[in-house]
Each structure stands twice: as C-alpha cells, then as structure tokens.
Amino acid sequence: MQISLSFGESQKFELQLKDEKIVAICDGAGPTLSSVRSEVETALTNPPQFPGLAEATVPGDLIAFAIGRHIPNVADIIAAILDVTARAEMADRRTAIVLPHDAADHLQAAVTAMIGERTDVTLERHDPDDRNKLAFIGASKENRPIMVNRILSDADMVIPVGLARLDSSLDYFGPYEAVFPTFTDRETMQRLSAPTFVEQPVLRKRRAGEATEAGHLLGVLFGIVVEANGPESISAIRAGAIDLISAQIQDELAKTWRYQPAKRAALTIVAISGGQEQQTWANFARSLAVASNAADDNGAILVCSELTTFPSPTMMQLAEHDDLDEQRRRIRRERTADAAAALQLATTLDRNKVYLISNLPEGIVDELNMSPVANLEEARKVCEYYESCTFIAHGQLAEVAVEGEEISSDIDWDQYAL
C-alpha cells in the first residue's frame, strides 16, 4: 500500500509498505469550511437560542473578545468580528480584542492594520506580568484568588473565542480555557502548567473546574467555539452557551479525531502538521502521548516534525542522567512552561524508543535520548525494519485508543454547571 503522511508546513512522508504490515492509518479529517467569515458573522448576528450581538448589548457597552490560543485562521475570525462590530446597529458600542500573551507578532500587526483609524476598537496583547493590567474577580472553591485581564474584568460582555479540543487532550483546561488560564497572571499560569496537573486525573479535574469557575465569575454566558479540521483549517464554528455547545462538540470531535486501531503496532508514526506556530514542544508532547497509546510496550515511535526551537533547560534535564525515574521526580517539581512536555517525553522513553525527524541538530536530539532521523529515506528504513506500523496524521489534534482499551477524560463538567 502507498502511504502519504503530511507533516510540517508542506512536507510529505511517502513510502510503500506491504498491507499486512499496516495496522491502521489514522487520518480522517473532514470537509473544510468554505467561508470562515460568513460563519463568524452568523454566529454573532444570528446565533441559536441567543439574541444577536446588537440585541444583546446597549449603546455604551464594552464588548471584549478573548481570543484563545492555537486557533486556525484566527486572523480571518478577528476580521469577521471587526466587520460585525462596525455595522450601523452596533453604533456607540466599544469593542476590545484581547490576544494571548504568546500571540505571534505578525498576528498583532495584522489586527492593528485591520483596526486602522477606528476609535471604537481597542487591541491588547495580554501581559501576565503587569499587575496593573490584571483584576481580582473572586476566589475559587479552593480559596485561590482568580486574576484575569483587566479589560475582560471591566467589559460589559465577554465573548471567548476558543479552540474545541477533546476532553482527554494532554493539557486541556476545559471549555473556558480561552478565558482562563489564557488571561490570568504568570504565577497561576505556572501553577496550572505543572506536570502533576497534566499527569494526575484528580488534579486535571480540579484545574478544569477552576477554569470553569473563572468563566462563571466573569459572567460568560455566550461564546464562539472553533472546530479544527487540521492545524490551519476549520471544519465548523459554533456559537451559544459555552457549557452546552462544548459538551455537544465532544461527540463531533470524537467522530473526526478519535481512532481505534485493532491492536498496538511495533512502530507508530505520528505527524505534527502545520507551520512554525504548530511546531512546538507542546505539540510534540501531545503527539507523543497519542502515539504511545498506539505503540507496543517496548515498541517504537517515529515523530515527523519541523521542530526548530531548541529545548529549554527543563527538557535538557533528560540529558543529564540515565535514571528516568529520578528525572521524572525532578521534572514534576518544575513550574516552567514546558515541564509537562519534558515529563511526557521521560515517561514515553521509559516504555518506547523514540525517533525524531526535525530541523534540530542531531546532537541535541541525541542528548534528549531520542534517535535523530536525518531524512525521509532514513525514515523509510525505520518503517521497513519494524514488523507492524500505525500512522497518525495531525498528532496534536488526534486521540487513539486501541480496541478494548479506553481513554477517559475523568472530568464531570456537570459539577461545575451554574
């Protein structure tokens, strides 16, 4: 059978394998939206079971759009938001576009150009370190202070624009993650990115509950949720009550991104697709977690990427000692942004051999206890060496559970309902 697996911005891993060697090809992305702008306009002007934006607000109101992270075609979405807010029926309202702290410079520049001379629109990139731009909105059930971006706190209406993800995703914060912790203070971001919050189901539940509390304290009732068809394309845009549509979307995401191979494979090949904004250690960790659910114990994983970012000191701890148990204990105490990714790599290396195609120097990959693969020809030889293979496209979005095995989100969203 001829296999073609896309990765990176435009790379393709193509090879010919005997049918009996192929366990599964997990690549089921559906159709792509023909017009993102028209869908966003409909979501804001004629949403199901909600009044349109003009009817839901009054002159003088400040409407703040909290733009989540990793959203495909986000510039087109923001352009559509600005088109709607410029209509005559929206006169005398004010609009704020709040971008995440790690938003790309080119996105900020593009939105600035879109706004142009409009005086009714404010653009802000969140700064988690500036206490003057943060506001206390209440305490969580665990009596922790909840701080959010001051523009969101002061707004008359907050509309999160978030990316829909499967509940079982490696670092999923729940349906309100476009608000929290995306727009909280640095200390809270670091606390909630701790590896234990990713690793332990009880703490994952607690973390997601805190995000939901923050959304409720802000009075968020309505939001826009984007379903990805890939890292840079969209299959659907939903609007409505966040709790309700997020639960409904889980079934749709499962149909697109959840795969059930008949058995585990000796080698799992997983692709990180998309341009440089997708080629991150966080997406590497997500893809590695997915691939480990499809690979045999003591089997191997081949990650196809265009990673160029050098690993942080937390990741490089894996190069310092051979004792993986000791490394995991040490990484669990870290509060750096990529500590969870480092822990995932350490956990996977304890069970599987990991090969990596990337744009990193081979010496760096080798120091991380992975085997560098220099080119696609070497990757083909790796595939030919193993007796069975599973291929996973868009690894940062997918989920795999071999038949007879289950992946549970362990999160009961009902307990956080209003």
Side-chain angles (χ1 to χ4, degrees), residues 49-70:
Q49 300 179 338
F50 268 86
L53 194 58
E55 293 76 30
T57 56
V58 298
D61 276 356
L62 171 61
I63 309 164
F65 291 87
I67 308 299
R69 304 172 68 218
H70 311 306

Side-chain angles (χ1 to χ4, degrees), residues 133-196:
K133 292 188 176 180
L134 293 162
F136 171 76
I137 61 170
S140 70
K141 291 178 180 177
E142 297 178 343
N143 205 32
R144 292 185 181 274
I146 296 180
M147 308 288 290
V148 297
N149 181 279
R150 188 171 294 278
I151 288 180
L152 301 184
S153 172
D154 292 346
D156 298 285
M157 184 176 190
V158 176
I159 300 179
V161 181
L163 177 65
R165 296 169 59 193
L166 286 162
D167 284 347
S168 57
S169 294
L170 181 64
D171 55 353
Y172 183 61
F173 282 89
Y176 289 89
E177 71 175 1
V179 170
F180 187 93
T182 303
F183 294 107
T184 190
D185 58 287
R186 179 79 66 181
E187 182 181 349
T188 302
M189 285 182 176
Q190 291 177 339
R191 175 173 63 84
L192 295 179
S193 65
T196 50

Side-chain angles (χ1 to χ4, degrees), residues 322-336:
D322 292 330
D323 187 341
L324 286 173
D325 285 336
E326 174 58 30
Q327 288 173 355
R328 284 197 294 271
R329 282 193 293 271
R330 186 166 48 178
I331 291 170
R332 285 188 183 100
R333 297 191 291 269
E334 294 284 346
R335 292 295 181 268
T336 57

Side-chain angles (χ1 to χ4, degrees), residues 188-206:
T188 302
M189 285 182 176
Q190 291 177 339
R191 175 173 63 84
L192 295 179
S193 65
T196 50
F197 275 98
V198 174
E199 186 182 39
Q200 297 180 25
V202 171
L203 293 182
R204 286 186 65 237
K205 186 185 299 184
R206 187 181 303 169

Side-chain angles (χ1 to χ4, degrees), residues 64 120 157 173 178 245 280 331 387 392 399:
D120 62 321
M157 184 176 190
F173 282 89
I245 60 175
T280 65
I331 291 170
E387 63 182 20
I392 304 172
E399 177 189 278

